[in-house]
Amino acid sequence: MTSMSRARVARRIAAGAAYGGGGIGLVGAAAVGLLLAEVQLAKRHVGNGTVAHVPQADGRYGHGYTTSGEPPLRLTMLGDSTAAGQGVHRAGQTPGALLASGLAAVAERPVELRNVASPGARSDDLDRQVALTLADPTRVPDICVIMIGANDVTNRMPPTRSVRHLSAAVRRLRTAGAEVVVGTCPDLGTIEPVQQPLRWIARRASRQLAAAQTIGAVEQGGRTVSLGDLLGPEFAANPRELFGPDNYHPSAEGYATAAMAVLPTVCAALGLWPAEEERPDASRREGFLPVARAAAEAASEAGTEVAAAVPTGPKGPWALLKRRRRRRVPEPDATPATPST
């Protein structure tokens, strides 16, 4: 699918989400029927690992930094098992811990991490997670990172419904005063046990949803980073190293790769990146585009950021597309402290 056709599909899905449309299907019913045997075969191979728990990573990171009169930055993770960090053994290997540690190093300020993500969650669980996040109005996060979408695809949730829930979550968090970064739907075509033609269908569905998620999130004031096939080359070369023991969730190295891509956008959202790096760099193919086109391009190239730029234009809202350089994430504190009350 070309970026232009993906942009049109994404815009239709996002419009349907905004105006209460029904289900623009990601794949046809006939295709799904033909793939049932393939799905069952994949299920026999996926999820047979030994790691079922999610390490508890909540706490304070950046203990070595002291800020006179300034409270720690607050980071909250929302979403599914990827946001929770399922598939690794230690708290410091989860994406939340990696991002909190990286943010603390850039800001030179402690960061308090809270994770309300839930393994198996679809986008319709975000309402509950946002309610937990905003339950105490005196402790609104400075920034929220949402990773969601994979279970929407595998459970065949209508994409308009999926985007509607995500857009509502971003709107509520932004209204409360939190910055929001969304890691859009990963490319399910990179899962090792999945074979053709399911691999192609999964990739197409994942990228369509990711593009539509980008439009919905950016129009509500959030930023997005396409996870896409971010780990694709690494998975292809080192599948045993970058997949976790269950052959489905990333390993510690996989989560670190994702965190390196998301961290610059988290820092930029909080105004912690140098001003010169916020300008589009033509040599990196960055620039201002209609949001649907930017969303489609981001879905095609993992690690790409999309942020709101101009609210109106001849083709709707415009967005800034950035291809930020990935930054090495420092090793998290060995034992997170209990969050202060």
Side-chain angles (χ1 to χ4, degrees), residues 6-274:
R6 184 175 292 119
R8 286 193 295 270
V9 172
R11 169 54 67 192
R12 286 169 55 212
I13 293 171
Y19 297 108
I24 300 174
L26 291 168
V27 295
V32 172
L34 289 172
L35 293 171
L36 283 178
E38 188 74 27
V39 171
Q40 293 305 316
L41 181 62
K43 282 183 176 179
R44 294 194 190 102
H45 292 88
V46 172
N48 291 327
T50 58
V51 179
H53 76 290
V54 177
Q56 176 57 254
D58 287 17
R60 182 173 294 190
Y61 293 79
H63 293 287
Y65 301 108
T66 58
T67 53
S68 176
E70 284 189 315
L73 290 169
R74 296 191 182 109
L75 164 66
T76 298
M77 301 290 296
L78 303 90
D80 56 21
S81 55
T82 303
Q86 186 172 349
V88 294
H89 293 280
R90 294 190 291 108
Q93 298 171 327
T94 63
L98 292 165
L99 288 172
S101 180
L103 178 57
V106 173
E108 298 184 339
R109 184 174 167 185
V111 174
E112 282 192 358
L113 170 68
R114 185 185 183 198
N115 199 322
V116 299
S118 178
R122 303 182 306 181
S123 293
D124 55 5
D125 190 52
L126 288 176
D127 181 66
R128 180 189 66 84
Q129 295 183 25
V130 170
L132 287 173
T133 301
L134 301 179
D136 184 349
T138 68
R139 296 181 61 81
V140 173
D142 295 286
I143 188 156
C144 296
V145 175
I146 303 174
M147 296 180 178
I148 200 81
N151 296 313
D152 298 22
V153 174
T154 57
N155 288 281
R156 295 165 61 191
M157 174 184 282
T160 49
R161 183 181 169 204
S162 175
V163 174
R164 189 179 306 131
H165 285 294
L166 175 62
S167 298
V170 174
R171 181 170 58 251
R172 287 177 63 192
L173 292 169
R174 293 290 293 127
T175 300
E179 297 291 340
V180 181
V181 173
V182 176
T184 55
C185 182
D187 183 355
L188 298 179
T190 62
I191 298 172
E192 190 184 31
V194 176
Q195 302 299 318
Q196 297 291 10
L198 182 59
R199 183 185 294 271
W200 180 86
I201 294 290
R203 171 161 291 150
R204 180 171 178 266
S206 302
R207 291 186 177 186
Q208 283 184 5
L209 179 57
Q213 287 178 315
T214 297
I215 296 173
V218 169
E219 289 185 344
Q220 298 301 327
R223 299 181 186 225
T224 63
V225 178
S226 57
L227 299 183
D229 59 349
L230 179 66
L231 306 176
E234 290 91 342
F235 278 142
N238 303 294
R240 295 297 175 221
E241 180 181 341
L242 288 178
F243 268 124
D246 61 3
N247 289 332
Y248 184 83
H249 295 98
S251 66
E253 291 82 3
Y255 280 130
T257 302
M260 280 193 294
V262 174
L263 178 61
T265 301
V266 167
C267 294
L270 292 171
L272 298 173
W273 235 228

